Amino acid sequence: MADSVAAASLIGYRPLCGGLSVKDTSYRRKSLSSCRCPIKEAVGKRVVYSSPMLPRLKIDRLVNTSIKALATELTKEVYSYREEERIPRTWNYRVDTGVDRKPGLWPPENRADNALLHNPLIRQERMGCSWLGAIFEWEGVIIEDNPDLERQAWLALSREEGKPTPPAFILRRVDGMKNEQAISEVLCWSRDPPEMKRMATRKEEIYQSLQGGIYRLRTGSKEFVNILMHYKIPMALVSTRPRKTLESAIGTVGIEGYFTAIVAAEDVHRGKPDPEMFIYAAQLLNFIPQRCIVFGNSNQTVEAAHDAFMKCVAIASKHPVYELGAADLVVRKLDELSIVDLKNLADIESPEFGPVELETELEPEDDNDRSTSAGVDDIFW
């Protein structure tokens, strides 16, 4: 590049005097042969020639316009090349998604793909979304939850049955349980199955009368479910409500047909924190538990999901974010999640989902063998 500039520059170009006529200070035309003179000095834009036969000449107007333009273009090219070298080649732009995330978490790393897998069909399956399932709770995740109505239903039932009024911490314990389970194990009102069934049904009737059949979707829940439908991710819905009530509520909010499986109170024996509901939902989806992600809004859900070897996403709808730290991921709304987040959570190569190590029991040594070996040693010595 430098040679090109020098070749086209004013100083190194010979036809400067060879093809043009010059004049001295007396304005007499000189012959072209006498113009072949060495350069004396170059000051700024003026190039001064000196010769024993010629006086000092000013040749500002002798510069060829085309040569000057070529030199200018080459100089610009050199400087632009230097500027390109200064531009960093690594782009660390942060994508603005409108969601507050911790530094370094966006864009999330996709751990679903494994370049060490030589089978392209297996890699294609892993890069797709058909290898993971989503299990949603109903209240507090899909629709808005109202814990006060649940508390009022239990208090009204206790007054009807003539039972002692349960304190607030007891009512917090029954959150997420089946009605029969709460009546027999926590409230200790009865252990007779027909009686428990009667009181559980009555409690549900009181709750539905207080609730009034009005359901309101949480912000971002329907949009997130639509995204999972677009990527063909199987979804299941679990709840401790009766199936008839649950199916009626699903039709009211307009999301019927979204869920592959529905697990209601009639399908399980126990509610949370027992993982029975989530294990049964995974069986209906034909997935192993390690490939399922549970979406809940309480620590009982987190405990049940982890007991079933499932990852859990906690929705901070009823509890603040700092109380749900045991979950694998905590969000305020479902639409804050992406498909890549779900793939990373369902990574079955995580160390906590490794093979279960069986405890080995050492066989007790036989005293007869020990005495025999000792006898042999005595005989030897």
Side-chain angles (χ1 to χ4, degrees):
M1 185 67 69
D3 294 337
S4 301
V5 175
S9 63
L10 178 62
I11 298 175
Y13 198 79
R14 181 176 179 181
L16 196 63
C17 300
L20 299 173
S21 60
V22 296
K23 296 181 181 180
D24 59 2
T25 55
S26 61
Y27 293 94
R28 294 180 180 178
R29 190 175 298 275
K30 302 294 182 180
S31 62
L32 297 179
S33 61
S34 62
C35 293
R36 303 180 185 276
C37 52
I39 298 173
K40 180 65 176 176
E41 56 181 346
V43 181
K45 296 182 179 180
R46 296 184 175 184
V47 181
V48 182
Y49 281 77
S50 62
S51 174
M53 297 181 294
L54 294 176
R56 297 176 63 91
L57 302 177
K58 297 180 180 181
I59 58 172
D60 288 343
R61 299 180 181 178
L62 302 179
V63 179
N64 194 327
T65 306
S66 61
I67 299 172
K68 186 176 181 180
L70 178 60
T72 304
E73 293 296 330
L74 291 175
T75 305
K76 290 181 179 179
E77 185 178 352
V78 170
Y79 278 97
S80 64
Y81 178 77
R82 292 177 181 176
E83 290 294 332
E84 290 178 358
E85 291 181 343
R86 300 174 189 174
I87 299 177
R89 299 301 181 186
T90 57
W91 310 100
N92 296 323
Y93 294 150
R94 180 180 177 84
V95 181
D96 185 11
T97 59
V99 180
D100 294 334
R101 291 180 179 266
K102 296 181 179 179
L105 290 184
W106 188 262
E109 179 186 0
N110 189 356
R111 296 179 297 175
D113 187 22
N114 186 3
L116 299 179
L117 296 175
H118 300 289
N119 191 335
L121 298 179
I122 298 179
R123 290 191 64 183
Q124 182 180 5
E125 180 184 1
R126 288 173 65 92
M127 290 300 294
C129 301
S130 61
W131 55 274
L132 61 91
I135 302 176
F136 292 90
E137 285 190 331
W138 175 242
E139 295 175 345
V141 178
I142 301 297
I143 64 171
E144 293 289 350
D145 188 16
N146 194 346
D148 294 335
L149 296 182
E150 190 76 16
R151 195 175 301 111
Q152 293 174 15
W154 283 114
L155 294 177
L157 180 63
S158 66
R159 289 192 295 267
E160 286 186 4
E161 300 293 332
K163 302 296 181 180
T165 303
F169 74 93
I170 292 294
L171 295 179
R172 285 194 296 268
R173 285 187 56 189
V174 303
D175 183 27
M177 292 184 177
K178 286 187 62 177
N179 294 334
E180 295 88 343
Q181 180 184 1
I183 291 171
S184 62
E185 297 181 7
V186 180
L187 299 174
C188 300
W189 287 349
S190 175
R191 292 187 180 275
D192 183 33
E195 186 69 12
M196 290 190 301
K197 181 66 175 177
R198 183 190 66 81
M199 286 192 289
T201 304
R202 178 56 186 160
K203 183 261 174 184
E204 195 63 32
E205 292 175 356
I206 296 174
Y207 176 83
Q208 294 300 327
S209 62
L210 293 175
Q211 200 267 341
I214 301 174
Y215 301 95
R216 186 163 56 94
L217 286 170
R218 280 185 52 81
T219 304
S221 60
K222 190 171 184 179
E223 291 79 2
F224 183 70
V225 172
N226 285 328
I227 292 175
L228 299 190
M229 284 282 294
H230 174 73
Y231 285 95
K232 300 180 180 179
I233 297 179
M235 293 177 288
L237 184 66
V238 299
S239 177
T240 54
R241 302 292 177 193
R243 178 175 292 273
K244 183 178 180 180
T245 303
L246 190 59
E247 291 178 350
S248 175
I250 292 174
T252 302
V253 297
I255 56 174
E256 62 273 6
Y258 280 58
F259 300 99
T260 307
I262 297 177
V263 179
E266 298 86 351
D267 301 321
V268 293
H269 296 282
R270 299 171 62 83
K272 296 178 298 184
D274 193 283
E276 182 182 359
M277 290 192 305
F278 303 132
I279 294 177
Y280 183 57
Q283 292 175 357
L284 295 178
L285 294 177
N286 295 322
F287 281 120
I288 60 175
Q290 287 84 350
R291 288 190 176 181
C292 293
I293 302 174
V294 176
F295 298 85
N297 68 332
S298 64
N299 286 317
Q300 290 87 344
T301 304
V302 178
E303 180 182 354
H306 287 174
D307 289 343
F309 294 98
M310 299 180 184
K311 293 296 181 68
C312 183
V313 177
I315 314 300
S317 59
K318 183 170 57 176
H319 301 279
V321 175
Y322 63 86
E323 290 186 4
L324 302 172
D328 300 285
L329 189 61
V330 182
V331 295
R332 291 181 175 85
K333 297 182 297 182
L334 284 176
D335 57 357
E336 297 179 7
L337 296 169
S338 66
I339 298 298
V340 179
D341 293 330
L342 302 186
K343 287 185 177 183
N344 293 338
L345 284 178
D347 184 14
I348 61 176
E349 297 177 359
S350 301
E352 61 267 24
F353 288 157
V356 180
E357 296 182 359
L358 300 177
E359 297 181 358
T360 58
E361 297 181 359
L362 298 177
E363 297 182 358
E365 296 182 359
D366 193 359
D367 296 338
N368 297 331
D369 297 340
R370 182 181 300 176
S371 60
T372 304
S373 61
V376 173
D377 292 340
D378 293 340
I379 295 173
F380 177 79
W381 291 106

